[in-house]
Amino acid sequence: MALLTHLLVCTFGLGSWVAINGLWVELPLLITELPEGWYLPSYLTVIIQLANVSPLLITLLHHFRPGCVPEVPVIFAVLGVGTVTCTLFAFFWKVTSWVQGSHHSITFMVLTFFLALVDCTSSVTFLPFMSRLSTHYLTTFFVGEGLSGLLPALVALAQGSGLTTCVNVTETSYTTSSPNTTGNSDTPQGNNSTLVPGLTGTAPSMGHLESSSLPANFSPLVFFLLLSFMMACCLVAFFLLQRYPEPWKTSTKDLLASQVTLHSIRPLEEDPGLPGPGDSSKGQEHLEEDRAPDHPARLLFIYVLVAFVNTLTNGMLPSVQTYSCLSYGPVAYHLSATLSSMANPLACFFSMFLSSRSLLFLGVLTGLGTGFGAYNMAMAVMSPCPLMQGHWSGEVLIVASWVLFTGCLSYVKVMLGMILRDHSRSALLWCGAAVQLGSLLGALLMFPLVNVWQVFKSADFCSLQCST
């Protein structure tokens, strides 16, 4: 029965960010059809951050009016809206509207806002709900959250989203004798000269490589229907968790056991008699008072660490992954995207067996992950000619750096969540708020760098000319 509970919790965690992650990995196909083109990601960044109004409202209500937000109905509404929105995406993503003299994807952007509303709200509702279950189920939840990035990436990989190939394009210049006219035309690979009808002259040719998108194996309609199916599975899993009584019994049993253990290790000189039933609440209050002085600084450090880690993983580094990897070729980019997505749930899984709640260790691991992130950012800044471009060692290093960056910081996020889970339910809600705050800060920092000042330069691997 415990295995079934783990499966339900993992599927429930999948619904946290699967919709928005799926939208991002599908963008290479969508931008070829929508009028905004490559400007679409910058619009989506702003829209997603606007959706943070929902977790902000819930957090403020929890602080000023505790208990006024019904947790379970909100989660049902979140998952229901996500399922319906993904279904609407499948049929209306290509609809455009005529606004201010040009076509715009208004329907697409409105649906994106609702998806972002769903995923942002999950950060401050799913985690507090998990406080009702036993502690070891929280790790399973983070595994599911990691799969919310992996599964859409694997589907997009099977679809062939964003895959490109190098095509040899030959430019032919021709010159006529009368009148004097010059021109250019593109010819397929293999033609070294072209005779233009009605014109006489020479036709020297020059060839160069250009990137060309490969056709997708299935349409965005199928992709969004698969996303809708994933969201529906999350909704069913949450419904079964409500109907399935075993997790609640386990959670209560663990809580009682911990109280018994705490009473058993109290010094005898403080309490020479056995605690009666009426003394349990007094003992718990006494324990909380003893622990209270250590909480403010420790909790502040944990929340700052949560916000910092999510600033890197959710806000800053994802926006430059293409810049840091595409210079090494499409294979390096797809390996880094797929393997780093796999590193997230794997790190959560390993935390079940190799767990460490030492804040010193987690701080050191955060520094290590930040170092890998700094290397990724440096390669993005140096694009289109980063270090060791054109050499296999550069490709291996950038892929390994992305995998280790994701793995280290994913482990840190899980262990910080475990620490806060043991503290209180309210701590998990504030943890969700710190997650969203960090993600917002990262996105706001990167938006002007990428879209306004254009610090990062895109690379076409097929036509790169970097000095060695």
Side-chain angles (χ1 to χ4, degrees), residues 342-358:
M342 294 177 63
N344 191 333
L346 285 177
C348 300
F349 179 75
F350 286 141
S351 66
M352 294 181 179
F353 311 100
L354 303 173
S355 61
S356 174
R357 304 192 183 194
S358 168

Side-chain angles (χ1 to χ4, degrees), residues 3 30 124 141 148 153 167 256 263 267 271 276 304 382 387 421 448:
L3 180 61
L30 302 181
V124 293
F141 172 82
S148 70
V167 177
L256 293 176
H263 279 294
D271 189 5
V304 169
M382 297 174 66
L387 297 176
R421 160 63 178 83

Side-chain angles (χ1 to χ4, degrees), residues 38 43 85 115 120 195 231 247 298 323 387 410 448:
W38 277 107
Y43 288 111
T85 305
L115 275 191
C120 292
L195 181 62
M231 290 298 299
R298 188 169 184 264
Y323 295 102
L387 297 176
S410 296

Side-chain angles (χ1 to χ4, degrees), residues 254-330:
D254 291 345
L255 179 62
L256 293 176
S258 65
Q259 289 179 348
V260 170
T261 303
L262 289 171
H263 279 294
S264 64
I265 63 176
R266 292 174 63 186
L268 292 177
E269 58 270 16
E270 292 185 8
D271 189 5
L274 293 175
D279 297 332
S280 60
S281 59
K282 182 187 297 185
Q284 187 175 357
E285 292 175 359
H286 178 69
L287 178 65
E288 291 178 354
E289 290 176 359
D290 289 343
R291 293 172 58 188
D294 297 333
H295 285 172
R298 188 169 184 264
L299 283 179
L300 179 61
F301 176 76
I302 293 174
Y303 288 135
V304 169
L305 205 58
V306 169
F308 175 74
V309 168
N310 283 277
T311 297
L312 298 180
T313 58
N314 297 348
M316 294 183 64
L317 271 299
S319 60
V320 299
Q321 186 169 20
T322 54
Y323 295 102
S324 66
C325 297
L326 277 180
S327 299
Y328 296 99

Side-chain angles (χ1 to χ4, degrees), residues 179-393:
N180 292 331
T181 308
T182 60
N184 292 321
S185 64
D186 289 342
T187 60
Q189 179 181 2
N191 292 347
N192 295 324
S193 63
T194 302
L195 181 62
V196 181
L199 300 174
T200 59
T202 60
S205 62
M206 298 179 60
H208 67 279
L209 294 176
E210 289 184 357
S211 297
S212 177
S213 299
L214 296 175
N217 296 323
F218 51 86
S219 67
L221 169 68
V222 177
F223 181 86
F224 284 120
L225 288 179
L226 288 174
L227 279 186
S228 179
F229 174 73
M230 293 181 194
M231 290 298 299
C233 289
C234 302
L235 180 60
V236 172
F238 180 68
F239 174 77
L240 293 178
L241 281 174
Q242 290 294 305
R243 306 282 294 182
Y244 185 49
E246 185 65 23
W248 322 109
K249 293 179 181 179
T250 305
S251 181
T252 305
K253 188 186 302 181
D254 291 345
L255 179 62
L256 293 176
S258 65
Q259 289 179 348
V260 170
T261 303
L262 289 171
H263 279 294
S264 64
I265 63 176
R266 292 174 63 186
L268 292 177
E269 58 270 16
E270 292 185 8
D271 189 5
L274 293 175
D279 297 332
S280 60
S281 59
K282 182 187 297 185
Q284 187 175 357
E285 292 175 359
H286 178 69
L287 178 65
E288 291 178 354
E289 290 176 359
D290 289 343
R291 293 172 58 188
D294 297 333
H295 285 172
R298 188 169 184 264
L299 283 179
L300 179 61
F301 176 76
I302 293 174
Y303 288 135
V304 169
L305 205 58
V306 169
F308 175 74
V309 168
N310 283 277
T311 297
L312 298 180
T313 58
N314 297 348
M316 294 183 64
L317 271 299
S319 60
V320 299
Q321 186 169 20
T322 54
Y323 295 102
S324 66
C325 297
L326 277 180
S327 299
Y328 296 99
V331 175
Y333 170 67
H334 283 283
L335 282 178
S336 66
T338 304
L339 294 181
S340 61
S341 297
M342 294 177 63
N344 191 333
L346 285 177
C348 300
F349 179 75
F350 286 141
S351 66
M352 294 181 179
F353 311 100
L354 303 173
S355 61
S356 174
R357 304 192 183 194
S358 168
L359 292 184
L360 176 61
F361 173 76
L362 295 179
V364 171
L365 196 59
T366 301
L368 183 63
T370 304
F372 290 119
Y375 177 82
N376 299 336
M377 182 67 71
M379 296 305 102
V381 172
M382 297 174 66
S383 176
C385 296
L387 297 176
M388 294 177 285
Q389 193 276 332
H391 194 272
W392 64 268
S393 59

Side-chain angles (χ1 to χ4, degrees), residues 391-412:
H391 194 272
W392 64 268
S393 59
E395 300 179 24
V396 172
L397 192 56
I398 194 64
V399 172
S401 180
W402 272 102
V403 171
L404 292 173
F405 162 75
T406 305
C408 290
L409 297 189
S410 296
Y411 179 89
V412 172

Side-chain angles (χ1 to χ4, degrees), residues 4 28 60 74 81 130 162 242 259 344 372 430:
L4 176 61
L60 291 177
V74 169
V81 170
M130 289 303 301
Q242 290 294 305
Q259 289 179 348
N344 191 333
F372 290 119
W430 286 105

